[in-house]
């Protein structure tokens, strides 16, 4: 059974943290079922649009993101 994690606030810190947590693996199995929460509907709509376009909503040089 996977552990569940919720990241509150999906801004410049919370979103990369949620991505990192959701990609954590042990013995080639993902460890966490990750949820993100933000009360800003505009941010959530933009994030959904970016996900559909396979983009991040901000610039990053981190290739793992």
């Amino acid at each position: 059974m996977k552990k569940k994690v919720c990241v509150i606030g999906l801004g410049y810190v919370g979103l990369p943290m949620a991505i990192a947590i959701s990609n954590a693996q042990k013995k080639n199995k993902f460890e966490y079922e990750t949820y993100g929460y933000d009360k800003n509907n505009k941010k959530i709509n933009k994030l959904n649009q970016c996900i559909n376009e396979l983009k991040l909503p901000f610039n990053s040089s981190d290739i793992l993101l």
Side-chain angles (χ1 to χ4, degrees):
M1 177 184 238
K2 289 184 187 178
K3 299 171 191 167
K4 295 181 181 180
V5 176
C6 181
V7 177
I8 299 173
L10 297 175
Y12 290 101
V13 175
L15 181 59
M17 182 183 300
I19 292 169
I21 292 169
S22 68
N23 286 323
Q25 293 185 31
K26 189 173 187 178
K27 297 182 182 178
N28 293 324
K29 292 185 179 181
F30 292 106
E31 286 196 74
Y32 302 102
E33 189 172 324
T34 309
Y35 299 90
Y37 174 82
D38 201 296
K39 65 181 184 177
N40 184 331
N41 283 332
K42 286 183 182 180
K43 188 184 295 183
I44 295 299
N45 290 335
K46 178 169 174 123
L47 181 56
N48 283 330
Q49 178 184 359
C50 289
I51 288 170
N52 291 336
E53 297 172 3
L54 300 175
K55 296 180 182 178
L56 289 173
F58 53 86
N59 295 325
S60 175
S61 60
D62 188 342
I63 61 171
L64 295 176
L65 289 177

